[in-house]
């Protein structure tokens, strides 16, 4: 059971927009920065978003992040088949004093 | 090129010891925290612990404390994850993940597959 809760799967058509939610508590998301990672099949995770909404320079602006209270959201616009992957949220948990991840969400681009 | 290169796949028997490595290049090695992240077959990501290469300060997730050791040799820009006695349940991919801050990881290795089987 992950500390952060993500939907197991989401799907959308090419060109459409999708959002992936990540729910936590005041000890993690509520008072700490959230990051998002993309893991393409058979590869290592890659940082998409850090500090709630910041993108590394190489990440296209189709990817966005936001946070409100104890929840965070990853948005992906202009979906491409190459976006099919597992997506993980992560943050620091001040009570556990650990980095915690969500269970992951599998994105299918129909 | 900024990268971290991990050692190759390992096949071990229960009770054996193992050390896997993660070598950084193309950046200031002591400026990034080095974390180890486990991914068991078909499962999600689990943070195991981190080390500060500048002073070797180490923090473990409690569930991994005492079972693994994280260390670093900054003279060769290399971090290590080691076990003294492997279990079948240690079978997983282990990622080295580096971050300028301790709460996110912007540089990942390709992972080291560790298979423990009798």
């Amino acid at each position: 059971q992950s500390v952060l809760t993500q939907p197991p799967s989401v799907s959308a058509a090419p060109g459409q927009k999708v959002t992936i939610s990540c729910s936590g508590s005041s000890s993690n998301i509520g008072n700490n920065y959230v990051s998002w990672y993309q893991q393409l099949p058979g590869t290592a995770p890659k940082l998409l978003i850090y500090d709630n909404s910041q993108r590394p320079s190489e990440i296209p602006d189709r990817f966005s992040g936001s946070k409100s209270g104890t929840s965070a959201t990853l948005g992906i616009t202009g979906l491409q088949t190459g976006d099919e992957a597992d997506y993980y949220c992560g943050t620091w948990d001040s009570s556990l004093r650990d980095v915690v991840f969500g269970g992951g969400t599998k994105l299918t681009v129909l | 090129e900024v990268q971290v290169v991990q050692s190759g796949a390992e096949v071990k028997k229960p009770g054996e010891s193992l050390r896997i490595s993660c070598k950084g290049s193309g950046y200031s090695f002591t400026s990034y925290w080095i974390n180890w992240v486990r991914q068991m077959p078909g499962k999600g990501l689990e943070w195991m612990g981190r080390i500060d290469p500048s002073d070797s300060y180490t923090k473990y997730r409690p569930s991994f404390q005492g079972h693994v050791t994280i260390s670093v040799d900054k003279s060769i820009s290399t971090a290590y994850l080691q076990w003294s006695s492997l279990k079948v349940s240690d079978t997983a991919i282990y990622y080295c993940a580096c971050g300028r801050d301790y709460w996110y990881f912007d540089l990942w290795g390709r992972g080291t597959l560790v298979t423990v089987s009798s």
Side-chain angles (χ1 to χ4, degrees):
Chain A
Q1 190 79 358
S2 301
V3 173
L4 306 180
T5 301
Q6 297 182 235
S9 63
V10 296
S11 61
Q16 297 300 304
K17 174 182 177 179
V18 71
T19 59
I20 297 173
S21 61
C22 176
S23 178
S25 68
S26 59
S27 66
N28 42 66
I29 292 178
N31 286 284
N32 294 289
Y33 288 118
V34 177
S35 53
W36 289 92
Y37 304 88
Q38 176 194 60
Q39 187 174 31
L40 296 169
T43 70
K46 179 173 75 173
L47 179 68
L48 288 179
I49 299 289
Y50 66 98
D51 291 357
N52 302 332
S53 60
Q54 302 302 303
R55 278 180 291 106
S57 57
E58 67 274 19
I59 302 300
D61 59 7
R62 299 189 300 109
F63 295 90
S64 63
S66 63
K67 188 183 95 167
S68 178
T70 58
S71 294
T73 302
L74 174 70
I76 311 173
T77 60
L79 277 172
Q80 304 170 2
T81 55
D83 295 331
E84 287 201 333
D86 293 321
Y87 292 83
Y88 294 91
C89 58
T91 187
W92 177 253
D93 190 295
S94 304
S95 294
L96 298 174
R97 300 188 63 76
D98 291 343
V99 170
V100 291
F101 292 102
T105 298
K106 183 176 183 60
L107 169 64
T108 301
V109 181
L110 302 169
Chain B
E1 180 187 4
V2 176
Q3 61 179 351
V4 288
V5 177
Q6 297 188 231
S7 51
E10 302 274 1
V11 179
K12 291 290 188 178
K13 296 185 184 305
E16 292 186 332
S17 63
L18 174 66
R19 188 177 77 168
I20 62 176
S21 66
C22 166
K23 182 176 176 60
S25 62
Y27 68 97
S28 174
F29 184 71
T30 55
S31 297
Y32 282 67
W33 293 87
I34 297 176
N35 301 264
W36 288 95
V37 176
R38 182 175 77 174
Q39 187 167 38
M40 299 178 76
K43 301 299 184 181
L45 305 176
E46 295 177 271
W47 179 75
M48 301 175 68
R50 69 169 182 268
I51 190 165
D52 180 347
S54 65
D55 62 7
S56 296
Y57 169 81
T58 308
K59 171 79 170 70
Y60 295 92
R61 185 171 185 167
S63 56
F64 291 98
Q65 181 99 40
H67 185 53
V68 298
T69 301
I70 297 172
S71 61
V72 68
D73 185 340
K74 62 183 179 182
S75 70
I76 55 172
S77 301
T78 301
Y80 303 96
L81 177 66
Q82 66 183 68
W83 297 258
S84 59
S85 181
L86 285 160
K87 303 175 183 179
V88 172
S89 57
D90 291 320
T91 295
I93 297 175
Y94 293 88
Y95 292 103
C96 166
C98 306
R100 285 164 287 179
D101 292 304
Y102 62 83
W103 57 85
Y104 70 90
F105 315 133
D106 48 355
L107 184 59
W108 291 71
R110 290 189 175 186
T112 296
L113 173 63
V114 174
T115 303
V116 184
S117 174
S118 55

